[in-house]
Amino acid sequence: MKKLITSIFVISFFALNAQTGMLMGKTDIAEGSAFSNRIRSENSGGTLTYNDIIGSPYLNKMFVDAKIAENYEKVYVRYNSYADQVEFERDGKTLVLPKESKFSRIEILSPKQTLVLLETNDEFSGYFFEVVTGSKYTLYKKLKTKFVDAVPANSSYTSDKPANFKLLDPIYYIKTNNGFIKKPRNQKDVIAQLPEMKDSLAGFFKSNKIKFDREEDLIKLVKFLNQ
């Protein structure tokens, strides 16, 4: 009987510790930097808030559930394509997620999307949307929003043009084992970066009329590269 009680105690102890470990396994999100929605407007002689500007820097203004890193609690986030930052809510405040390696992969749960923090050694370094993954090649998409300042009327016959946000055409990068194929514009751009696949790519391009500004065509290309 004594041995039975001891065994029950040992089992209970380990079960409690395992349960505690599960509860402690998820880490609260780190402190983020302060969020600001103010933009300097030279033509209006002051600053504007996002609400003063036509359009939006967000693909989705709503905060959505996301996994920000391994062993971290899920949080509600949104991506700001003007400031290239991931914002999250905490205690009723909007904060900016630190651009750190542990937060380099943001998995948005609905609609399902993945943001990846990439160092591309150019002006586009930052967050990219992951479009296609593979063992050797991955297709990424950069979305940028431009702030267009207000334009005052230059005569009584014209009207003021309000400030606005303009979503630019997407920019695509293909990640290889040796770096990136940046903004491929034609077949030559790709073949020049992958000379060892010159013959197979020539055959692929001959059979497939690829338009390099069409995402579905670039998806087809990257899937072929990963075969």
Side-chain angles (χ1 to χ4, degrees):
M1 185 68 176
K2 187 174 182 181
K3 288 183 178 180
L4 177 61
I5 293 172
T6 302
S7 298
I8 292 172
F9 173 78
V10 171
I11 293 170
S12 299
F13 174 80
F14 280 110
L16 179 62
N17 274 273
Q19 188 177 37
T20 303
M22 289 174 64
L23 291 173
M24 293 178 64
K26 296 295 184 181
T27 308
D28 192 14
I29 190 170
E31 290 290 339
S33 58
F35 162 75
S36 173
N37 70 344
R38 304 189 72 84
I39 297 177
R40 175 70 183 173
S41 170
E42 298 294 338
N43 293 341
S44 62
T47 58
L48 301 175
T49 69
Y50 287 178
N51 291 334
D52 299 323
I53 303 167
I54 294 174
S56 173
Y58 305 106
L59 303 180
N60 182 359
K61 288 184 180 180
M62 301 294 292
F63 287 89
V64 293
D65 201 9
K67 175 185 175 183
I68 59 166
E70 292 296 330
N71 299 318
Y72 271 75
E73 294 286 356
K74 288 177 180 155
V75 295
Y76 288 92
V77 305
R78 65 183 180 187
Y79 176 61
N80 185 326
S81 58
Y82 165 72
D84 190 41
Q85 61 191 23
V86 174
E87 300 162 7
F88 67 96
E89 285 188 310
R90 185 174 191 177
D91 300 328
K93 296 179 180 178
T94 300
L95 300 172
V96 176
L97 190 68
K99 285 185 174 179
E100 299 175 359
S101 59
K102 61 183 174 183
F103 302 127
S104 62
R105 187 176 180 85
I106 314 299
E107 297 178 6
I108 297 171
L109 304 183
S110 181
K112 193 170 182 179
Q113 296 172 306
T114 301
L115 278 165
V116 180
L117 187 62
L118 298 178
E119 177 51 70
T120 55
N121 296 312
D122 59 18
E123 71 271 26
F124 299 114
S125 286
Y127 292 108
F128 284 73
F129 285 90
E130 189 177 75
V131 181
V132 176
T133 60
S135 57
K136 295 181 180 179
Y137 303 93
T138 302
L139 178 63
Y140 292 106
K141 174 171 64 176
K142 183 76 173 187
L143 293 178
K144 288 182 67 67
T145 294
K146 178 182 178 182
F147 169 69
V148 181
D149 205 351
V151 179
N154 55 17
S155 74
S156 58
Y157 298 102
T158 60
S159 301
D160 292 342
K161 291 183 180 180
N164 66 88
F165 285 116
K166 179 182 179 182
L167 181 62
L168 304 179
D169 292 336
I171 296 165
Y172 294 96
Y173 278 23
I174 300 172
K175 189 172 189 313
T176 73
N177 289 333
N178 299 318
F180 293 95
I181 303 174
K182 301 179 179 181
K183 298 185 287 184
R185 296 167 297 175
N186 51 48
Q187 300 175 20
K188 291 181 179 179
D189 283 350
V190 177
I191 293 174
Q193 295 287 331
L194 302 171
E196 71 280 8
M197 298 183 68
K198 180 179 179 180
D199 293 340
S200 59
L201 280 170
F204 171 80
F205 287 130
K206 186 175 180 180
S207 302
N208 298 271
K209 303 303 180 185
I210 298 298
K211 293 185 177 180
F212 287 81
D213 58 349
R214 292 182 59 184
E215 186 170 306
E216 56 266 38
D217 284 2
L218 289 173
I219 289 172
K220 185 186 294 187
L221 170 61
V222 173
K223 286 183 175 180
F224 168 78
L225 292 173
N226 280 304
Q227 289 177 0

